Amino acid sequence: MSPGANGERCPTPSPPGSPGTPHDSCSIAPLTPSQSPRSEARSQQSPSFSVVVAIDFGTTSSGYAFSFTSDPEAIHMMRKWEGGDPGVANQKTPTSLLLTPEGTFHSFGYTARDYYHDLDPEEAREWFYFEKFKMKIHSTSDLTMKTELEAVNGKKMPALEVFAHALRFFKQHAVQELKDQCPSLPESDAIRWVLTVPAIWKQPAKQFMREAAYKAGLVSPETPEQLLIALEPEAASIYCRKLRLHQLIELSCRPPAGGAEPPQPVDSSFRQAREQLRRSRHSRTFLVESGVGELWSEMQAGDRYIVADCGGGTVDLTVHQIEKPQGTLKELYKASGGPYGAVGVDLAFEKLLCHIFGDDFIATFKAKRPAAWVDLTIAFEARKRAAGGGGGGGGGGGPAPSRCSPLNISLPFSFIDFYRKHRGHNVETALRKSNVNLVKWSSQGMLRMSPEAMSELFQPTIAHIIQHIDTLLKKPEVQGIKFLFLVGGFAESAMLQRAVQAAFGHCCRVIVPQDVGLTILKGAVLFGLDPGVVRVRRSPLTYGVGVLNKFVEGKHPREKLLVKEGKNWCTDIFEKFVTVDQSVALGEVVQRSYCPARPGQRRTIINIYCCDTDDVVYITEPPLTSGPTEGMGHHRLPVQLRPPRMCHHQLPVQLRGCATINFLSN
């Protein structure tokens, strides 16, 4: 083993517990370290796509939209779904998947939900019915290709199969609709697909979605550029750039500074016919500005805003800054959030039922009568949307008024009958014994919940959201916020709207786009048309490699001392490529040169590490050693070694390679 030409740097052995490769075969050492990314001009030829199809795969509901590259100002929403709930606009369909007892695809969305509901109770126990399963990918700390999902009746199936079935369903629907509109459109290479994921998802979860898309046949692994992964709050931000004033609901209702009149439309070339099409409630086509929207015309270069994506499973927060005149976006703080979506209200309702009827009964009922349990959750979902106001206010002309009347929730007959047989008394007796004063039994056979009772179900989840936004606003990097955009399905909730306005209306303008539940979907289409619109992002983690440097007495711990060929080296030093929350622009690269472990070496394995802090010094210290999804990630990157031209045998060999990091284990 020979050191580098400068005689001061030498390869480092792999750390204990690293993937099993001989020390000398995967050892590296830096020769020309550079602590910050360096911009390199790279000319990238974008593939020629005829259409962009975006799939918003949500926890509660999902849908797709598309736009032809020949007419990028027109975003076409998916066809109206069959089925649906009274009073609920079914522009998207429930994220519900039904598989046969043999595990083959049967249906998705409203069709799956309604068919499963109509199954005989004994028969339903043999089928696979999945709902709100997206959260499993976020909550699983050891996500692999073999991770399983549990259906509502307890039966299990590989998660990759479940997600692939759902994505294949959307592909078939979208392709059929495109063929109906454009019969000559080739399917194989004419479509660029976009999948939305929460910004707070870790890399394994994002890669999992890409693997599911490959398995579903959206694109081939040989053409990965045909599939883009869009971050949900980022997509919403992209769409908000295009909004006109009549497409916004400002909760604060504050006039422009100085009493000025609202600005005139930016793009006066929009024809009146297109404006009428945009305003049509029955049209599935939405028109967007060719430039930036009217709201953006009020903003100056450098103005900052927050997008709070409040979805079914998670809440994602991102902070952007507008860059003029090009209209690109710059991320100011790494995406943050947590599992504070509308599902939290559902869990609170289930906890209330457990308190009234008993944990053991609810568990037994879910296992024995899974279809009836789904029916009960549907009934609650309808009342949840009405809680606090007239259905949310996200698609109307302003925030919904506060609702003061009680809400009735129908209990399925099978629930009432099953409880009487299981306990020996009726549900009304259970309500009296539970001492839950805010929930009564109505003569119509319903749970009658007071507004206070419903509010109590919402408050823990809303409190988490308010606290997270407040914490973000107090960050030194996040000062001078001008707007707070509420987007996502949960943003339709009047309770959430009022709480956010009350908490932050004094410091920024709180804005809710119309059709708020479709904001991410529309933005994902725009992202597919122009992936470079977000010019600067923040790194969610610190990335680097393990190296060794010359041992310095008093600086380096003695247990890191390695003596080789009479020289003292410090092992396991974590050399960072990019640090957490560091700005990284499109086109920037990190370049390093490394010395091979032995003369003549042609291949090596580079162990790339990641962690969520920037103060780690050694690759063996916590949190770097706790695994790929908690603390330190540890990934193997195969690299070819090629000597530079006119390289003397004593000079170090440079590492030149391009490879894909696999964040998922098989």
Side-chain angles (χ1 to χ4, degrees), residues 20-315:
T21 52
H23 282 175
D24 289 348
S25 69
C26 61
S27 303
I28 53 177
L31 292 174
T32 55
S34 173
Q35 292 303 318
S36 60
R38 182 171 65 84
S39 180
E40 289 188 358
R42 296 189 300 174
S43 59
Q44 293 183 339
Q45 284 293 100
S46 298
S48 177
F49 301 105
S50 301
V51 63
V52 169
V53 179
I55 300 174
D56 181 12
F57 195 93
T59 300
T60 305
S61 59
S62 301
Y64 70 87
F66 59 93
S67 178
F68 294 96
T69 55
S70 58
D71 188 15
E73 295 174 10
I75 299 175
H76 308 276
M77 305 305 295
M78 57 275 173
R79 288 171 173 159
K80 190 177 180 70
W81 300 104
E82 295 181 5
D85 300 321
V88 177
N90 54 344
Q91 292 166 306
K92 294 202 289 187
T93 193
T95 308
S96 303
L97 173 69
L98 181 62
L99 306 179
T100 67
E102 295 74 33
T104 60
F105 178 84
H106 180 272
S107 51
F108 188 89
Y110 288 112
T111 305
R113 195 193 68 182
D114 295 343
Y115 189 92
Y116 186 70
H117 168 265
D118 292 336
L119 286 174
D120 179 85
E122 292 301 319
E123 189 179 5
R125 293 168 64 179
E126 301 301 320
W127 288 62
F128 294 85
Y129 180 77
F130 300 90
E131 62 177 3
K132 300 175 183 176
F133 50 88
K134 179 182 172 184
M135 278 294 289
K136 176 72 173 181
I137 304 304
H138 174 72
S139 59
T140 301
S141 60
D142 56 345
L143 183 65
T144 72
M145 301 284 280
K146 296 180 180 178
T147 296
E148 292 187 322
L149 290 181
E150 187 174 295
V152 296
N153 56 7
K155 298 184 70 174
K156 293 183 178 181
M157 176 168 285
L160 197 66
E161 294 277 354
V162 175
F163 277 80
H165 278 304
L167 293 177
R168 192 178 299 114
F169 166 83
F170 282 111
K171 178 197 174 181
Q172 292 170 351
H173 269 253
V175 169
Q176 184 59 53
E177 184 169 356
L178 289 171
K179 285 183 176 179
D180 292 345
Q181 292 199 24
C182 186
S184 61
L185 185 72
E187 178 182 338
S188 58
D189 56 356
I191 302 175
R192 164 176 274 172
W193 296 89
V194 182
L195 280 180
T196 64
V197 300
I200 60 171
W201 271 16
K202 293 181 172 62
Q203 290 297 340
K206 295 174 184 176
Q207 182 182 333
F208 181 91
M209 289 299 291
R210 180 171 284 273
E211 295 293 339
Y214 292 154
K215 189 174 183 65
L218 265 68
V219 301
S220 166
E222 283 70 41
T223 56
E225 68 279 357
Q226 278 189 259
L227 173 65
L228 298 179
I229 302 296
L231 306 183
E232 290 168 357
E234 205 171 84
S237 179
I238 292 169
Y239 179 70
C240 288
R241 293 164 59 251
K242 301 284 188 177
L243 290 172
R244 295 166 71 89
L245 294 178
H246 75 267
Q247 295 172 303
L248 300 171
I249 302 163
E250 184 166 358
L251 300 183
S252 52
C253 299
R254 286 162 50 182
E261 291 296 320
Q264 296 302 311
V266 174
D267 185 5
S268 59
S269 65
F270 252 58
R271 299 191 303 272
Q272 185 177 3
R274 306 202 95 191
E275 183 66 22
Q276 290 175 349
L277 176 61
R278 184 213 303 272
R279 290 174 180 269
S280 172
R281 295 181 59 188
H282 302 289
S283 174
R284 293 187 298 114
T285 300
F286 294 82
L287 280 300
V288 296
E289 300 282 7
S290 58
V292 295
E294 291 172 316
L295 184 65
W296 249 243
S297 68
E298 296 184 26
M299 301 183 73
Q300 304 297 318
D303 278 351
R304 303 172 170 197
Y305 62 93
I306 291 176
V307 175
D309 170 24
C310 306
T314 59
V315 168

Side-chain angles (χ1 to χ4, degrees), residues 170-489:
F170 282 111
K171 178 197 174 181
Q172 292 170 351
H173 269 253
V175 169
Q176 184 59 53
E177 184 169 356
L178 289 171
K179 285 183 176 179
D180 292 345
Q181 292 199 24
C182 186
S184 61
L185 185 72
E187 178 182 338
S188 58
D189 56 356
I191 302 175
R192 164 176 274 172
W193 296 89
V194 182
L195 280 180
T196 64
V197 300
I200 60 171
W201 271 16
K202 293 181 172 62
Q203 290 297 340
K206 295 174 184 176
Q207 182 182 333
F208 181 91
M209 289 299 291
R210 180 171 284 273
E211 295 293 339
Y214 292 154
K215 189 174 183 65
L218 265 68
V219 301
S220 166
E222 283 70 41
T223 56
E225 68 279 357
Q226 278 189 259
L227 173 65
L228 298 179
I229 302 296
L231 306 183
E232 290 168 357
E234 205 171 84
S237 179
I238 292 169
Y239 179 70
C240 288
R241 293 164 59 251
K242 301 284 188 177
L243 290 172
R244 295 166 71 89
L245 294 178
H246 75 267
Q247 295 172 303
L248 300 171
I249 302 163
E250 184 166 358
L251 300 183
S252 52
C253 299
R254 286 162 50 182
E261 291 296 320
Q264 296 302 311
V266 174
D267 185 5
S268 59
S269 65
F270 252 58
R271 299 191 303 272
Q272 185 177 3
R274 306 202 95 191
E275 183 66 22
Q276 290 175 349
L277 176 61
R278 184 213 303 272
R279 290 174 180 269
S280 172
R281 295 181 59 188
H282 302 289
S283 174
R284 293 187 298 114
T285 300
F286 294 82
L287 280 300
V288 296
E289 300 282 7
S290 58
V292 295
E294 291 172 316
L295 184 65
W296 249 243
S297 68
E298 296 184 26
M299 301 183 73
Q300 304 297 318
D303 278 351
R304 303 172 170 197
Y305 62 93
I306 291 176
V307 175
D309 170 24
C310 306
T314 59
V315 168
D316 270 342
L317 304 180
T318 191
V319 187
H320 279 168
Q321 185 176 58
I322 189 77
E323 296 183 315
K324 291 190 175 183
Q326 63 271 38
T328 53
L329 300 174
K330 177 181 179 181
E331 189 177 33
L332 297 180
Y333 191 77
K334 66 174 182 174
S336 60
Y340 315 133
V343 170
V345 184
D346 302 336
L347 294 176
F349 177 64
E350 183 176 339
K351 186 177 180 180
L352 174 65
L353 293 178
C354 289
H355 178 74
I356 296 173
F357 302 108
D359 296 271
D360 58 333
F361 170 76
I362 295 298
T364 303
F365 181 74
K366 289 169 68 175
K368 300 288 188 181
R369 298 290 187 270
W373 173 255
V374 171
D375 192 26
L376 176 55
T377 61
I378 293 171
F380 175 71
E381 179 68 24
R383 308 318 293 156
K384 182 178 73 173
R385 290 175 178 269
S402 177
R403 182 184 181 117
C404 299
S405 58
L407 290 167
N408 290 329
I409 299 173
S410 298
L411 288 181
F413 172 77
S414 58
F415 183 98
I416 299 171
D417 184 62
F418 194 81
Y419 183 81
R420 181 175 52 81
K421 292 177 180 177
H422 192 78
R423 288 283 198 251
H425 56 263
N426 57 31
V427 294
E428 186 177 1
T429 303
L431 268 170
R432 282 200 309 269
K433 290 183 176 180
S434 68
N435 295 320
V436 178
N437 297 323
L438 299 178
V439 181
K440 305 296 182 183
W441 181 248
S442 74
S443 57
Q444 292 84 14
M446 298 181 180
L447 288 180
R448 190 169 180 82
M449 298 188 66
S450 67
E452 294 80 10
M454 186 63 80
S455 178
E456 285 184 5
L457 299 182
F458 276 77
Q459 285 315 306
T461 300
I462 291 178
H464 278 300
I465 296 173
I466 298 298
Q467 180 182 15
H468 207 89
I469 296 175
D470 185 61
T471 300
L472 180 63
L473 284 169
K474 291 177 180 177
K475 299 284 184 183
E477 306 92 334
V478 186
Q479 297 299 315
I481 294 297
K482 191 170 184 179
F483 296 98
L484 170 58
F485 290 94
L486 276 182
V487 302

